[in-house]
Amino acid sequence: MKPKLTLVGAGPGDPELLTLKGLKAIQSADVVLYDALVSTELLTYAPAHARIVFVGKRRGRCEFVQQDLNQLIVDYALNYGHVVRLKGGDSFVFGRGYEEIVFAQDFGIETTVVPGISSSIAVPALAGIPLTCRGVSESFWVLTGTTKNHTLSKDVAKAAQSSATLVVLMGMQHLAQIVAELAGAGKGDTPVAIIQNGSTSEEKIGLGTVNSIVEVVEKETLANPAIIVIGEVVRLHPSYEKGRMEVLSALGY
């Protein structure tokens, strides 16, 4: 069979948030390589003959380093045909999807990208937090909390100087550093939301401020996978302690 790679973004966790095009790709797969954050319900749509292979991260341990995973994709495509690489969220938003596509193309393998709904946008929305809102926030930053060297991104310090909403992915292990950067920029009272397992039945949320969110995380036992939302829009969450009515009133509601 002709080797082919389709990179499919599976969305933030709820299997019903997969796109129709992504579903059709899974249904035509000869091999499905899936990550830890992908709902296993989606695997049931693969053909009976398809090989299903887990290649994600569990308890901080990766099944494959990226270079080995790139080669694995190529090997499966050359030997079995259509490989669907199923990744959480969107493959091109901190998903290393571009690296996998380019590597496969170097071997002459046909490649297709099926975008997914990024957790950076979907999870806050599903929790009742808009990333932008007239009169509250005019823009948003989406940042990684952890670089390839496992350190905090220097962009966090730059983003702390902005009035934009900040959405930090993979940032829980550096939460104390993140809030320290914001507090140092005079934003100790800025609202913060931590959303764990967003869009799933196991979703948990913690609300606080830059100054208090570390204590909230400890009290609510929040952990990865989670995203961090920082900005005045967090006040619009229905359960935020104070400020929601004031914001809505200022908007004319």
Side-chain angles (χ1 to χ4, degrees), residues 45-131:
Y45 295 105
H49 74 272
R51 293 171 177 262
I52 310 297
V53 184
F54 175 75
V55 293
K57 179 188 292 186
R58 285 178 178 157
R59 295 188 179 93
R61 182 176 67 86
C62 291
E63 295 296 310
F64 298 91
V65 298
Q66 188 62 48
Q67 189 63 26
D68 290 344
L69 178 53
N70 294 345
Q71 187 62 56
L72 188 70
I73 291 170
V74 168
D75 291 344
Y76 273 120
L78 295 176
N79 285 285
Y80 298 101
H82 184 199
V83 173
V84 168
R85 179 71 174 97
L86 196 55
K87 303 166 75 73
D90 179 84
S91 304
F92 279 15
V93 180
F94 304 122
R96 297 187 178 182
Y98 186 72
E99 299 174 42
E100 296 173 2
I101 285 287
V102 170
F103 191 87
Q105 289 172 343
D106 285 344
F107 285 82
I109 295 172
E110 176 187 346
T111 61
T112 302
V113 176
V114 179
I117 300 174
S118 174
S119 61
S120 62
I121 298 172
V123 168
L126 291 169
I129 301 173
L131 297 187

Side-chain angles (χ1 to χ4, degrees), residues 1 15 134 162 164 185 225 251:
M1 298 181 66
R134 180 174 58 91
S162 169
L251 294 175

Side-chain angles (χ1 to χ4, degrees), residues 124-125 127-137 165 191-193 205 207 229 231-251 253:
I129 301 173
L131 297 187
T132 62
C133 183
R134 180 174 58 91
V136 182
S137 174
T165 303
V192 181
I205 186 167
L207 301 169
V229 185
E232 292 301 315
V233 292
V234 175
R235 296 188 192 278
L236 297 174
H237 186 276
S239 298
Y240 198 78
E241 182 178 357
K242 59 181 179 179
R244 182 171 185 260
M245 295 309 299
E246 289 87 341
V247 172
L248 292 175
S249 176
L251 294 175
Y253 294 103

Side-chain angles (χ1 to χ4, degrees), residues 160-171:
Q161 304 300 318
S162 169
S163 61
T165 303
L166 308 186
V167 182
V168 185
L169 308 183
M170 301 173 290

Side-chain angles (χ1 to χ4, degrees), residues 8-47:
V8 176
D14 180 348
E16 293 186 0
L17 293 177
L18 178 74
T19 64
L20 180 58
K21 191 167 186 176
L23 175 62
K24 290 179 178 179
I26 295 171
Q27 290 173 331
S28 66
D30 297 303
V31 180
V32 178
L33 306 179
Y34 72 101
D35 284 345
L37 297 181
V38 170
S39 170
T40 54
E41 182 178 329
L42 297 179
L43 304 177
T44 65
Y45 295 105

